[in-house]
Amino acid sequence: MNGLSKILVLVVAVITGASAIAVLLSPPSPQERVPRRQAEAQRLIDALTQEAWNYFHDHGEFPPGDGIGTANLVRALQQRSASGEPYMTFVPEMLSAGGDLRNPVAPETSILFYRNNRTGVYPGQRVHNGLGFDLWGDSANGLRAGVNNWDSTVPSP
């Protein structure tokens, strides 16, 4: 390789490296954020589903909930489990002023909802998990209850 070839290879390597760094450091576009927030909301619902089942195994009943929000679920899951640790820990940024879980899809304006279908069902409410509980929130495309535990991949023990 002569000197010119070495310089040319070095220039190409620098341009390629700089391009890769720029891609990695640039913030995601709004179109990229939507699926991420949607997936984050579904992961949170799956984690809440698992912990509600753990609560059930310790207490013989699901946490209280009437479908109006998640404040009762949050309080129940903050209690100590049989292992001595809380079922779940919530940082303040996850909670609204009323103690409900913010929906990761739109945390500034939307919350998640929880209903214990064994005790908290009002006449006319649609129930999806009749012997358990329903968890839901709006999806990124505005679909009411677009993220939920109705077809949960979390196995019920």
Side-chain angles (χ1 to χ4, degrees):
M1 257 183 160
N2 64 26
L4 184 60
S5 298
K6 289 178 183 177
I7 291 173
L8 186 58
V9 169
L10 181 61
V11 168
V12 170
V14 168
I15 291 172
T16 304
S19 298
I21 289 172
V23 167
L24 293 174
L25 294 179
S26 64
S29 70
Q31 293 84 7
E32 294 170 325
R33 274 186 240 134
V34 169
R36 287 181 186 178
R37 286 185 173 185
Q38 181 89 11
E40 182 181 344
Q42 191 61 56
R43 281 191 303 271
L44 177 57
I45 284 180
D46 289 345
L48 291 165
T49 298
Q50 183 65 50
E51 294 309 324
W53 274 106
N54 289 339
Y55 182 97
F56 176 82
H57 288 294
D58 288 350
H59 298 274
E61 62 186 8
F62 292 110
D66 54 14
I68 296 174
T70 48
N72 289 333
L73 176 65
V74 168
R75 280 191 293 279
L77 296 182
Q78 287 176 324
Q79 295 176 13
R80 300 220 178 271
S81 66
S83 71
E85 297 296 322
Y87 293 95
M88 201 163 185
T89 302
F90 303 96
V91 295
E93 294 80 23
M94 294 175 72
L95 304 175
S96 70
D100 293 304
L101 278 165
R102 295 179 189 273
N103 185 341
V105 169
E108 306 81 24
T109 59
S110 182
I111 62 171
L112 296 176
F113 300 91
Y114 166 80
R115 179 182 52 238
N116 178 336
N117 292 329
R118 295 181 176 193
T119 62
V121 178
Y122 297 111
Q125 284 184 319
R126 184 167 181 210
V127 172
H128 296 274
N129 296 313
L131 298 177
F133 57 91
D134 289 336
L135 261 164
W136 70 94
D138 293 344
S139 66
N141 62 2
L143 181 63
R144 180 104 174 115
V147 290
N148 58 63
N149 74 325
W150 302 336
D151 296 317
S152 180
T153 59
V154 176
S156 54

Short mmCIF file of all heavy atoms in Angstrom, two decimals, residues 1-10:
data_model
loop_
_atom_site.label_atom_id
_atom_site.label_comp_id
_atom_site.label_asym_id
_atom_site.label_seq_id
_atom_site.Cartn_x
_atom_site.Cartn_y
_atom_site.Cartn_z
N MET A 1 0.84 -1.18 0.00
CA MET A 1 0.00 0.00 0.00
C MET A 1 0.88 1.24 0.00
O MET A 1 1.78 1.35 0.83
CB MET A 1 -0.84 0.02 1.27
CG MET A 1 -2.24 -0.36 1.10
SD MET A 1 -3.05 -0.16 2.71
CE MET A 1 -4.67 -0.08 2.21
N ASN A 2 0.59 2.16 -0.88
CA ASN A 2 1.37 3.39 -0.88
C ASN A 2 0.71 4.40 0.07
O ASN A 2 -0.34 4.14 0.64
CB ASN A 2 1.52 3.93 -2.31
CG ASN A 2 0.18 4.32 -2.93
OD1 ASN A 2 -0.75 4.64 -2.22
ND2 ASN A 2 0.11 4.28 -4.25
N GLY A 3 1.32 5.54 0.23
CA GLY A 3 0.86 6.54 1.18
C GLY A 3 -0.54 7.04 0.88
O GLY A 3 -1.35 7.27 1.77
N LEU A 4 -0.86 7.23 -0.42
CA LEU A 4 -2.19 7.72 -0.80
C LEU A 4 -3.27 6.72 -0.44
O LEU A 4 -4.34 7.08 0.07
CB LEU A 4 -2.20 8.04 -2.30
CG LEU A 4 -3.50 8.65 -2.83
CD1 LEU A 4 -3.79 9.98 -2.12
CD2 LEU A 4 -3.40 8.88 -4.32
N SER A 5 -3.02 5.44 -0.65
CA SER A 5 -3.99 4.40 -0.31
C SER A 5 -4.24 4.35 1.19
O SER A 5 -5.38 4.19 1.65
CB SER A 5 -3.49 3.03 -0.76
OG SER A 5 -3.35 2.99 -2.16
N LYS A 6 -3.18 4.53 1.97
CA LYS A 6 -3.33 4.52 3.43
C LYS A 6 -4.18 5.69 3.89
O LYS A 6 -5.04 5.56 4.74
CB LYS A 6 -1.96 4.55 4.11
CG LYS A 6 -1.19 3.27 3.96
CD LYS A 6 0.17 3.38 4.62
CE LYS A 6 0.97 2.11 4.39
NZ LYS A 6 2.32 2.21 4.94
N ILE A 7 -3.96 6.85 3.30
CA ILE A 7 -4.74 8.04 3.66
C ILE A 7 -6.20 7.83 3.26
O ILE A 7 -7.12 8.16 4.02
CB ILE A 7 -4.14 9.30 2.99
CG1 ILE A 7 -2.80 9.62 3.62
CG2 ILE A 7 -5.09 10.47 3.12
CD1 ILE A 7 -2.04 10.74 2.93
N LEU A 8 -6.43 7.29 2.09
CA LEU A 8 -7.80 7.03 1.62
C LEU A 8 -8.52 6.05 2.55
O LEU A 8 -9.68 6.27 2.94
CB LEU A 8 -7.76 6.49 0.19
CG LEU A 8 -9.11 6.29 -0.49
CD1 LEU A 8 -9.89 7.60 -0.52
CD2 LEU A 8 -8.94 5.75 -1.88
N VAL A 9 -7.86 4.98 2.96
CA VAL A 9 -8.45 4.01 3.90
C VAL A 9 -8.75 4.68 5.23
O VAL A 9 -9.81 4.48 5.84
CB VAL A 9 -7.52 2.79 4.07
CG1 VAL A 9 -7.97 1.92 5.23
CG2 VAL A 9 -7.46 1.99 2.79
N LEU A 10 -7.84 5.52 5.71
CA LEU A 10 -8.03 6.22 6.97
C LEU A 10 -9.23 7.18 6.89
O LEU A 10 -10.06 7.23 7.81
CB LEU A 10 -6.76 6.99 7.34
CG LEU A 10 -6.79 7.76 8.65
CD1 LEU A 10 -7.02 6.81 9.82
CD2 LEU A 10 -5.51 8.55 8.84
#
